[in-house]
Amino acid sequence: MKILFANLPWWEVGHDSFRQGIRAGSRWPFTKGPHHHPDEWRAGGYMPFPFFMASAAAYLKAKWPAWEIALRDSIARGEGYEAFVNAFQNDTPEWLVIETATPSWKHDADFCAAIHGMFPGVKIIITGTLVASCEFRLPDWAFAAVKGEYEKGVNHVIETETRGIIDHMLLSREELDNLPFPMFDGTTTPYHYHDACPVYKDGSDDQFPHLQIWTSRGCPFKCVFCGWPATMTGNDPDGDRPRSVRQHSPEWVEAMLVDRLRRATLAGMPYRSIYIDDDTFNLTDKHALAISAVMKKIGLPWSAMCRADTCNPETWAVMRDSGCFGVKIGCESGSQRVVTEIVNKRLNLGDVENKWLPLLKELGFNVHTTWTVGLPGETQAEAEETVAMIRRLYEKGLHRTHQLSGTAEIEGTPLATLRHAGEGAELSKYPGAHVDANYSPSNDGQKKIERLTRPALA
């Protein structure tokens, strides 16, 4: 049995534009101005690790060691369509597993239809956030589609040759901690992954190459636009169901890190830092402290995706002392009404600005904040509040960098549910979110922010 997990090439060529797509590994896939051209990869530029795909490939390989299983991350390779098809033809698999999402779906569907036409014997399995949509229908060229995280689901399809749409088959906490370590693509691609924020120390590039890892899956908070907790690690399209949070043991994390760092050193490409890209790393003091102890033993500088308000000051200090140099903090909006009634983030912006960010500044963290504008029900004045808060935090030295995106609709999220329901629809957890003539829907947050009219940031 030969199985290929593929993060397919994704390039957009328009009359006067050329864009590169970022898909697997990104919570909000999008397109952007290219860091390089097809088949001309060069270092730098945002490039997330395809966490779900790498785990699923490793899961199947551990379960069926006699099967030939490979992962090909075409986006991290920087390869074009011809290079992918040539490689596919030279080593044609029996099964092709792809990950897709709302922004890339039309592109991916067209490319997969072409692959099916060239290689009709290959069975194609679709995964990714898009499959969670109640409106998703299996295309003629696809054998099956799997909802949610897909280790068990893909295995079920291949082992039983079950066609159709497979419902969520989430790993238990015990299964999560018995996972094999993620599979990587070849010998050089593992060192292509890149996320420059939070910046390292004085802003130098000394943190690369860096290793991107997970120490947990899921988040209990129900932000209206957030994809993975609603679609991949849970099934919560309306934001009113329990959401799964499962944390790896520190022993599993340490063993995984030791293995990966050893492989990198033997390859002559030792990692210089580690980025923990959990949905929310510091949900509990217990987990943050346990993983900090592991990171102190590993001895590399590290950073993490966090919330501002979920752990105590002593835990932040332990994180810093174990080598954590920076954190990403989601603020979402500068308007408390938007954060509370539209996003439903359950975050006090006053505490963020006056308590938590000053603490992080005092401890010496480089902070990267994330924000969005263009939410349903948000006014222009509230969007300007966001811009004003971003400026104010710079003036106070409370963040080093920031990201401002247009709000993107990912299928399976409460935001997508609301829009599909139409004008006047409401969701109980999001009383301020209203789809009306002022709302501009988009599934690509980068394209949306590029077209939105907004004051320029200093």
Side-chain angles (χ1 to χ4, degrees):
M1 186 79 73
K2 188 178 291 186
I3 304 162
L4 176 64
F5 288 78
N7 189 17
L8 299 171
W10 181 14
W11 303 91
E12 287 189 4
V13 180
H15 295 298
D16 57 355
S17 67
F18 177 59
R19 302 177 73 88
Q20 177 185 22
I22 302 294
R23 188 195 300 102
S26 173
R27 289 170 180 80
W28 294 277
F30 64 99
T31 60
K32 63 183 181 68
H35 186 67
H36 56 81
H37 286 75
D39 304 314
E40 297 177 0
W41 179 87
R42 60 186 176 88
Y46 174 64
M47 187 60 58
F49 181 67
F51 297 99
F52 289 112
M53 182 169 284
S55 182
Y59 179 89
L60 257 70
K61 185 61 180 176
K63 193 171 182 64
W64 307 102
W67 292 1
E68 294 182 46
I69 299 171
L71 184 152
R72 189 176 189 89
D73 189 345
S74 294
I75 293 178
R77 286 172 175 247
E79 72 180 355
Y81 301 101
E82 184 177 355
F84 176 85
V85 171
N86 287 342
F88 197 89
Q89 187 169 23
N90 291 337
D91 193 16
T92 306
E94 296 167 65
W95 295 86
L96 170 63
V97 183
I98 70 155
E99 184 173 318
T100 189
T102 310
S104 66
W105 174 238
K106 184 181 186 306
H107 165 278
D108 297 344
D110 289 345
F111 190 38
C112 284
I115 291 173
H116 178 70
M118 291 183 282
F119 308 94
V122 177
K123 303 181 185 75
I124 302 176
I125 301 174
I126 304 168
T127 71
T129 56
L130 181 88
V131 185
S133 170
C134 62
E135 299 186 352
F136 180 78
R137 298 292 181 269
L138 196 68
D140 293 339
W141 47 262
F143 187 89
V146 176
K147 293 185 178 184
E149 62 185 30
Y150 46 94
E151 289 95 343
K152 293 164 72 173
V154 167
N155 177 73
H156 172 74
V157 170
I158 295 175
E159 185 179 14
T160 64
E161 298 223 354
T162 299
R163 292 179 177 268
I165 299 176
I166 309 303
D167 206 354
H168 290 76
M169 300 176 70
L170 300 183
L171 297 162
S172 68
R173 283 179 170 81
E174 182 180 6
E175 289 172 325
L176 189 75
D177 239 20
N178 286 315
L179 281 174
F181 306 144
M183 181 180 290
F184 282 72
D185 172 7
T187 57
T188 59
T189 310
Y191 312 106
H192 289 186
Y193 301 105
H194 188 278
D195 192 337
C197 297
V199 297
Y200 179 58
K201 293 184 179 178
D202 60 356
S204 69
D205 245 12
D206 290 345
Q207 69 189 98
F208 299 106
H210 74 171
L211 176 62
Q212 299 180 15
I213 68 167
W214 276 350
T215 70
S216 67
R217 292 188 187 186
C219 178
F221 297 97
K222 298 173 180 289
C223 295
V224 68
F225 47 71
C226 197
W228 287 353
T231 65
M232 299 299 286
T233 58
N235 179 16
D236 188 23
D238 296 339
D240 58 5
R241 301 177 186 174
R243 292 191 174 183
S244 166
V245 178
R246 291 150 295 157
Q247 295 168 328
H248 281 293
S249 69
E251 292 79 14
W252 187 92
V253 173
E254 182 175 353
M256 178 269 294
L257 286 171
V258 168
D259 176 77
R260 191 62 226 167
L261 295 175
R262 177 186 61 83
R263 292 172 182 267
T265 299
L266 289 174
M269 291 289 290
Y271 288 112
R272 295 182 177 180
S273 70
I274 296 166
Y275 172 50
I276 300 177
D277 195 23
D278 295 4
D279 288 312
T280 310
F281 168 70
N282 65 333
L283 278 175
T284 67
D285 290 305
K286 180 180 178 181
H287 182 71
L289 291 170
I291 300 303
S292 293
V294 170
M295 301 308 290
K296 189 168 186 176
K297 290 169 66 176
I298 293 297
L300 287 178
W302 60 284
S303 57
M305 176 84 77
C306 297
R307 267 185 73 109
D309 61 346
T310 50
C311 64
N312 64 44
E314 292 76 20
T315 299
W316 285 117
V318 170
M319 288 172 57
R320 178 204 59 190
D321 293 344
S322 68
C324 184
F325 64 85
V327 290
K328 289 187 180 182
I329 300 292
C331 297
E332 319 314 348
S333 174
S335 162
Q336 188 64 59
R337 188 193 77 87
V338 170
V339 169
T340 302
E341 297 184 13
I342 299 179
V343 179
N344 185 27
K345 192 174 180 70
R346 293 163 57 189
L347 181 70
N348 186 307
L349 291 178
D351 285 348
V352 171
E353 183 171 359
N354 300 312
K355 177 182 178 181
W356 295 112
L357 291 185
L359 172 67
L360 296 179
K361 178 182 179 181
E362 180 183 346
L363 291 171
F365 286 100
N366 280 344
V367 174
H368 175 80
T369 57
T370 59
W371 314 76
T372 187
V373 291
L375 286 151
E378 178 189 49
T379 67
Q380 179 62 31
E382 287 167 332
E384 290 170 0
E385 284 186 67
T386 298
V387 174
M389 186 168 178
I390 293 171
R391 285 177 171 156
R392 196 164 63 245
L393 296 184
Y394 277 121
E395 291 167 359
K396 295 180 178 181
L398 295 180
H399 60 180
R400 182 70 178 272
T401 53
H402 81 282
Q403 172 190 316
L404 178 61
S405 301
T407 306
E409 290 182 11
I410 301 299
E411 292 295 334
T413 63
L415 179 58
T417 298
L418 190 70
R419 189 180 65 80
H420 287 317
E423 190 166 341
E426 294 185 358
L427 291 175
S428 61
K429 300 295 183 181
Y430 311 91
H434 301 291
V435 173
D436 55 27
N438 295 318
Y439 175 57
S440 175
S442 176
N443 57 32
D444 186 325
Q446 181 59 31
K447 285 183 179 178
K448 184 171 181 176
I449 197 64
E450 288 172 10
R451 73 168 186 260
L452 284 175
T453 301
R454 59 186 175 88
L457 287 171

